[in-house]
Amino acid sequence: MNQTTPLRRWQRAVSQRRAAIVLALALPPLLGLVGLAWRFGAGTLAVVVAPAGIAGSALVAWHWSRRGVESWLGRRLDALAPSLEDSAALLWRDAAALTPLQRLQRERLQARLGGLDLDLRPAWPRRALAASALLALVLLAVALRPPPLPLPSPTPAVDARGPAASATRLVAAQLAVTPPAYTGLPARSGEALDARVPQDARLDWRLRFAPQPSAVWLAFHDGSRLDLQRDGDDWRGGRALAASSLYRIGVEAAAPLTDPLHRIDVSADLAPTIRILEPQQSLTTYDGRQARWPLLFEAADDYGLASAELSLTHAQGTGESIRFSEQSVPLQGEALDGARRQRYRHEVDLAALKLAAGDEVIVRLIVGDNRTPTPNITRSPALILRWSAPPAADAAGVDGISQQVLPAYFRSQRQIIIDTETLLAEQDRLDPARLLARSDAIGVDQKILRLRYGQFLGEEAEGAAGAAVEAGHAEADSQLGALAQAHEASERAATSEGRFGVAGDVLAQYGHVHDIAEAATLLDAGTRATLKAALDAMWQAELHLRQGAPAAALPHEPRALEFIKQAQQATRIYLARVGLELPPPDETRRLSGERKGVTDVTGSLAAASDATAPLVQLWQALALGTPPDWDGALHALGGAAATDARSLDVLAALDRAQHQPACAECRQRLRAALWPLLPTPAAQVLPREAADAAGATYLDALPAAAGARP
């Protein structure tokens, strides 16, 4: 007999036990799932679930029965058979790959296998089997639970106390909700007649009454009506809802049905949202060397994204000769969360667009969701790639007169403070030259801001240096400095021709009219003093910044900001007050009784119309206990047009309070629901309070005191 026969027998027994354990754990829950599928899928789903579950369980059992059996048997033999000397793993090794000593040990172990009588099969997992059986019982209990409908036809009891005992009543109800297919949500049903459903979901009602009425309908708050059709003992009907609504069950019977309002809240399908990941800024400057423009977007939707395209507009030319070309590029998304969230990548081929200087490329991502029949569309903000046109050449012969400068960009005083603090925080990591350059740049910004506020005090823009500041470049600064020297030379030449002793010539030679504050501005003295203090602080800050000492400039910058804020809050302009001048009356028409040319001023003031006045009256009537105007309040709430949640809350509370006049809690809830809708009362003069005894005595004594004066 072959010595390896026990090994094969043990290996076969372990594989069979493993497969049996897997099947014992998987088949009971599978049976419960088949029962659920049969209950809710009308047999079709059960036919699919059963074979698929059995095939999957068999595949897992076969795989688990063969996985690692030899190593597991070796460990079990070493643990249960001391005679194998912890060398059972040699029994499954290839003899040709063993050393002489290992082959000798393997032969000894094979000789000892015949004397071993061991059960090496794994034990049954009792706790796991119990949990599997319990889960199967729960699933079968749910599957075998009887449905709420159809119910046995109730037999109305006859009461000798009168016809009130046979009033029509609702004995069973079921509301089934079928969401639109594009949402991917499962259908559901329940006994509650109030529900929250997705937009455009279909609702199917199934009602049963005792005794049976002759007709049943659903009356919605917008005035529409849904007639239910009788199906045996039940009444059925359905419709799709696109907006939130209130409804009440109505019946045609000898005894009416007392039914409260029911509410259906509709959750709107939201439009997709788009987030731009690359580029970080909306305007990108093209340097002429970039071959492709990478774009990265991320979009998300509540139910799922469908289509996405990139709208690309190419603007060519300058001035009035601008041409536009548009194209759309379909994009395929990279799924991050299924169809709900996707990422879109695209690179614009600039060479294919034949981009030239002065052109712009404008792109937008257009994303639509999977809503049918009309999807929600979202467009991203525009991203612009601009290739700036080269500056125009100066006209020949007029060098130094025509200057091409950049538009002035003025920083605020608060931004200058932030830049200075940032520079101080980084000064330890900067070399002296870099520190001086950055400090000088902030000083230039401070100078620009000082010149802006200085014009309100009649100050000059320091000759042509003001234009140099707007340019913000050192080259323009030097060029415009030359212009300043030429301007001063021309002024000296002009003033040399003035007449000695003439006041006008002296003023023209040595002074300027705008140096007089009263002639330059309409600011009062206090505001001018505040602005002067702000300019002084800016001067000091600019001085230290241009010298590369930002720490010394920082104390002056907040002082300048404080004075600027004070000047902004001060009175700006004073105008002369002019009295009312009426035209002289026509004496010839006085007391003549003629009304020719006289217009009637009656009705020139239109009465204020307040659409919420009925709500205010209803709120006051509920507080005072007077009869409310229900129809007026219903009209003010919008009636059939009301779809938002707050208006529906008020309509439901109004209906309960109207149909239950004796319910104090219903009236209080209606007042609480009305409060957010009430308008804010207009400001008005309150009447003077009546004087008390001491005040009345004082007022009575005033006429006597006035009569006693000489």
Side-chain angles (χ1 to χ4, degrees):
M1 181 178 179
N2 193 352
Q3 296 294 336
T4 60
T5 301
L7 294 179
R8 295 177 180 175
R9 184 177 65 253
W10 288 332
Q11 186 172 352
R12 184 168 53 254
V14 169
S15 299
Q16 293 174 355
R17 176 61 62 87
R18 281 189 169 189
I21 291 175
V22 171
L23 294 177
L25 291 175
L27 290 180
L30 178 61
L31 179 61
L33 291 176
V34 172
L36 287 178
W38 185 273
R39 166 70 183 277
F40 297 104
T44 304
L45 187 59
V47 174
V48 177
V49 171
I54 294 175
S57 301
L59 181 62
V60 173
W62 178 82
H63 176 71
W64 184 250
S65 65
R66 293 174 171 270
R67 181 181 178 183
V69 175
E70 296 177 353
S71 59
W72 188 86
L73 271 176
R75 292 192 298 270
R76 290 282 291 173
L77 286 173
D78 289 338
L80 299 179
S83 60
L84 299 182
E85 300 176 353
D86 294 333
S87 302
L90 296 175
L91 297 173
W92 286 275
R93 297 278 299 275
D94 186 9
L98 298 178
T99 62
L101 184 59
Q102 290 177 338
R103 285 197 297 270
L104 179 61
Q105 179 68 6
R106 185 170 182 267
E107 293 174 358
R108 294 175 59 191
L109 296 180
Q110 290 176 349
R112 297 174 184 176
L113 289 179
L116 296 178
D117 186 11
L118 301 174
D119 186 6
L120 301 180
R121 295 177 299 175
W124 291 95
R126 300 181 182 275
R127 294 185 178 180
L129 293 174
S132 176
L134 181 61
L135 177 60
L137 291 177
V138 172
L139 295 177
L140 290 175
V142 175
L144 298 178
R145 183 171 63 93
L149 288 178
L151 298 176
S153 180
T155 303
V158 180
D159 196 340
R161 290 177 292 180
S166 60
T168 303
R169 55 192 177 88
L170 181 66
V171 297
Q174 186 180 47
L175 176 60
V177 180
T178 305
Y182 71 87
T183 62
L185 300 176
R188 68 180 191 272
S189 61
E191 300 178 2
L193 295 178
D194 300 80
R196 177 177 291 275
V197 301
Q199 188 177 11
D200 298 327
R202 174 160 182 93
L203 287 82
D204 293 286
W205 287 268
R206 188 179 180 189
L207 309 176
R208 180 174 295 180
F209 301 90
Q212 285 287 2
S214 57
V216 180
W217 63 87
L218 302 180
F220 293 85
H221 83 282
D222 58 359
S224 62
R225 171 171 165 168
L226 175 63
D227 294 323
L228 304 185
Q229 305 298 323
R230 186 166 182 177
D231 181 13
D233 294 335
D234 303 327
W235 294 83
R236 298 173 178 267
R239 69 182 302 183
L241 287 182
S244 301
S245 181
L246 299 172
Y247 72 96
R248 175 181 281 111
I249 301 174
V251 299
E252 183 178 342
L257 174 68
T258 303
D259 185 64
L261 274 178
H262 304 285
R263 179 168 175 172
I264 302 295
D265 288 311
V266 174
S267 302
D269 187 357
L270 302 179
T273 59
I274 299 177
R275 189 161 62 99
I276 301 175
L277 302 180
E278 188 179 350
Q280 299 293 336
Q281 64 279 358
S282 59
L283 177 61
T284 304
T285 303
Y286 181 58
D287 56 4
R289 298 186 301 270
Q290 185 177 353
R292 308 183 73 84
W293 185 24
L295 303 173
L296 180 60
F297 304 88
E298 186 175 305
D301 188 68
D302 46 1
Y303 295 121
L305 299 167
S307 61
E309 64 178 14
L310 191 69
S311 174
L312 190 147
T313 303
H314 184 195
Q316 297 173 291
T318 58
E320 297 181 356
S321 59
I322 299 180
R323 302 185 307 275
F324 295 93
S325 60
E326 298 183 358
Q327 58 177 313
S328 297
V329 181
L331 299 181
Q332 294 294 332
E334 173 187 350
L336 301 178
D337 184 14
R340 296 176 183 268
R341 189 162 65 96
Q342 295 189 10
R343 184 169 292 176
Y344 301 94
R345 302 176 185 271
H346 185 73
E347 291 186 353
V348 180
D349 190 354
L350 302 179
L353 292 177
K354 299 180 180 179
L355 202 64
D359 291 0
E360 289 185 354
V361 179
I362 306 165
V363 297
R364 286 177 179 268
L365 178 65
I366 304 175
V367 178
D369 61 8
N370 56 2
R371 182 171 180 257
T372 55
T374 305
N376 295 315
I377 303 296
T378 300
R379 292 173 172 82
S380 70
L383 299 176
I384 304 174
L385 177 67
R386 176 178 299 167
W387 190 353
S388 301
D394 294 342
V398 291
D399 293 343
I401 298 178
S402 175
Q403 297 292 332
Q404 299 293 332
V405 297
L406 294 174
Y409 174 72
F410 301 113
R411 296 226 179 161
S412 65
Q413 187 65 27
R414 183 176 288 105
Q415 183 62 43
I416 292 174
I417 296 174
I418 295 174
D419 292 344
T420 305
E421 292 176 346
T422 304
L423 180 59
L424 290 175
E426 299 177 357
Q427 65 178 353
D428 295 338
R429 301 191 299 270
L430 301 176
D431 56 273
R434 180 61 177 168
L435 177 63
L436 178 60
R438 290 183 56 178
S439 179
D440 182 71
I442 301 174
V444 172
D445 295 335
Q446 183 68 84
K447 180 180 180 180
I448 296 174
L449 193 62
R450 176 178 59 80
L451 294 178
R452 287 186 61 194
Y453 286 99
Q455 64 183 340
F456 295 105
L457 294 181
E459 291 187 358
E460 297 185 41
E462 300 182 1
V469 172
E470 292 183 358
H473 296 283
E475 180 181 357
D477 207 347
S478 60
Q479 294 175 355
L480 293 175
L483 287 178
Q485 296 177 3
H487 175 65
E488 292 175 359
S490 63
E491 284 188 347
R492 288 195 298 270
T495 55
S496 62
E497 300 176 359
R499 292 168 295 174
F500 178 76
V502 179
D505 291 346
V506 174
L507 179 61
Q509 180 178 358
Y510 298 104
H512 298 276
V513 178
H514 60 260
D515 286 337
I516 305 175
E518 287 75 14
T521 67
L522 293 176
L523 300 178
D524 62 289
T527 305
R528 290 199 303 273
T530 304
L531 278 178
K532 185 63 172 60
L535 293 179
D536 292 341
M538 291 183 184
W539 268 111
Q540 296 297 327
E542 179 187 348
L543 172 65
H544 296 293
L545 287 171
R546 300 300 291 269
Q547 293 177 349
L554 186 59
H556 301 284
E557 295 173 357
R559 291 180 57 249
L561 178 61
E562 181 180 358
F563 287 130
I564 291 173
K565 293 302 180 183
Q566 293 177 8
Q568 289 175 352
Q569 298 171 2
T571 303
R572 291 290 192 262
I573 298 176
Y574 290 91
L575 298 177
R577 181 170 296 177
V578 181
L580 179 63
E581 297 181 1
L582 297 177
D586 187 1
E587 298 292 341
T588 61
R589 297 182 58 185
R590 295 191 64 186
L591 304 178
S592 63
E594 296 182 4
R595 297 182 54 85
K596 183 179 179 180
V598 178
T599 58
D600 188 3
V601 298
T602 304
S604 59
L605 295 178
S609 59
D610 189 1
T612 59
L615 301 181
V616 178
Q617 297 174 2
L618 175 61
W619 191 81
Q620 295 174 347
L622 292 173
L624 300 176
T626 57
D629 182 10
W630 302 110
D631 295 336
L634 184 62
H635 183 268
L637 287 171
T643 56
D644 59 288
R646 190 165 59 178
S647 298
L648 293 181
D649 290 338
V650 179
L651 287 175
L654 187 146
D655 181 81
R656 286 193 296 268
Q658 183 178 4
H659 288 82
Q660 302 178 20
C663 179
E665 183 182 358
C666 299
R667 299 168 72 92
Q668 188 64 26
R669 288 184 179 179
L670 177 57
R671 294 188 74 230
L674 280 172
W675 178 256
L677 302 181
L678 299 181
T680 303
Q684 56 185 349
V685 179
L686 299 178
R688 179 179 297 175
E689 298 181 358
D692 54 5
T697 303
Y698 174 76
L699 294 176
D700 294 340
L702 287 178
R709 293 179 181 176

